[in-house]
Amino acid sequence: KLCPSLQIPLEHLISLCHFLLPRYYTIASSSSVHPKSIHLTVAVTQDQRKDGSLFEGVCSTHLAKCRPQQDFVRVLLRPSTFRLPTDTQRPILMIGPGTGIAPMRALMQERIHQQSQGKNVLYFGCKRKDLDYLYQAELESWQASGQLELHVAFSREHPTQKVYVQHLLEQQSSETWQLIQDQGASIYVCGGVKMGHDVTETLKKICVE
């Protein structure tokens, strides 16, 4: 469409194209709790291009169109870098907005399976409660039972101010420092690169102050 006069043999075009890389998703379930299944948290990518056409994420769109019990996908596994502390008394601090909630859900399921006595603290963020509050019922049930201390940031619900997980984390700076310094909490962060940078800077500020 951009260059209608351009002609190139198909084999030359294919030789210029990069191989499609595998798309990695963090598993959102504990193998101890769900030994025969794997849960994924996938946001379907769809954006309107300037020319009016629709851009669709290759993997997320494919998964969304798969029919249960009929379509199959090729899957490969690689080792996770997330490990729970061997001492089940140690607290864990989890920060995972959006689909970054995936490994935190798996960690929580495993902690409950272990009957861990350590404190579990989660900072989750999304746009609006009625739009993309992932696993709301599950998270709030853990909160109600005392198994989880939950902090949720809704970035688009306030008309004049955007609230993100790093803002809630900063509001809880004293409690966060106690978890890290006094109780040796393990910290887990998953999500967008910018969010990860902002959370890191917030944690540094908490530690310095």
Side-chain angles (χ1 to χ4, degrees):
K1 291 182 179 179
L2 296 177
C3 304
S5 63
L6 180 63
Q7 295 184 358
I8 181 172
L10 179 61
E11 61 271 21
H12 290 179
L13 175 62
I14 293 175
S15 69
L16 296 173
C17 294
H18 295 287
F19 287 107
L20 186 63
L21 298 176
R23 177 66 168 89
Y24 291 105
Y25 294 99
T26 305
I27 295 174
S29 56
S30 163
S31 58
S32 300
V33 180
H34 301 281
K36 295 184 178 181
S37 63
I38 289 177
H39 301 182
L40 299 179
T41 307
V42 181
V44 180
T45 302
Q46 290 186 334
D47 291 305
Q48 198 80 23
R49 294 191 181 98
K50 292 181 179 180
D51 62 0
S53 62
L54 182 65
F55 169 79
E56 296 182 317
V58 175
C59 191
S60 63
T61 302
H62 176 69
L63 291 175
K65 292 179 179 179
C66 284
R67 297 163 296 176
Q69 308 300 324
Q70 297 185 53
D71 297 322
F72 299 90
V73 295
R74 296 181 63 184
V75 176
L76 58 92
L77 296 176
R78 64 177 182 180
S80 172
T81 57
F82 280 11
R83 293 286 185 274
L84 282 171
T86 54
D87 180 3
T88 58
Q89 300 291 328
R90 282 180 59 184
I92 61 173
L93 174 59
M94 302 168 286
I95 305 160
T99 54
I101 188 65
M104 314 312 172
R105 179 175 183 259
L107 293 176
M108 273 301 302
Q109 289 182 356
E110 185 65 21
R111 289 275 277 191
I112 294 171
H113 176 76
Q114 292 176 346
Q115 297 182 344
S116 170
Q117 298 301 310
K119 189 173 186 179
N120 306 306
V121 181
L122 171 64
Y123 287 84
F124 172 70
C126 59
K127 291 181 179 179
R128 297 200 315 268
K129 186 174 183 178
D130 61 347
L131 177 66
D132 51 354
Y133 190 171
L134 304 176
Y135 304 115
Q136 178 182 355
E138 193 170 26
L139 295 178
E140 292 182 351
S141 69
W142 289 335
Q143 182 186 35
S145 65
Q147 296 169 310
L148 176 67
E149 181 181 311
L150 178 63
H151 303 270
V152 184
F154 300 110
S155 62
R156 299 298 189 273
E157 289 201 346
H158 196 284
T160 59
Q161 183 181 12
K162 294 181 180 179
V163 180
Y164 297 110
V165 287
Q166 59 267 26
H167 300 141
L168 298 187
L169 192 62
E170 190 170 8
Q171 291 173 11
Q172 301 291 324
S173 58
S174 178
E175 293 81 356
T176 301
W177 175 242
Q178 289 179 1
L179 282 175
I180 298 171
Q181 175 66 14
D182 300 337
Q183 302 179 45
S186 296
I187 303 173
Y188 305 88
V189 182
C190 183
V193 175
K194 185 180 185 306
M195 179 280 306
H197 175 268
D198 292 341
V199 166
T200 299
E201 292 303 310
T202 301
L203 289 172
K204 287 180 181 178
K205 183 179 178 182
I206 291 172
C207 292
V208 169
E209 294 180 350

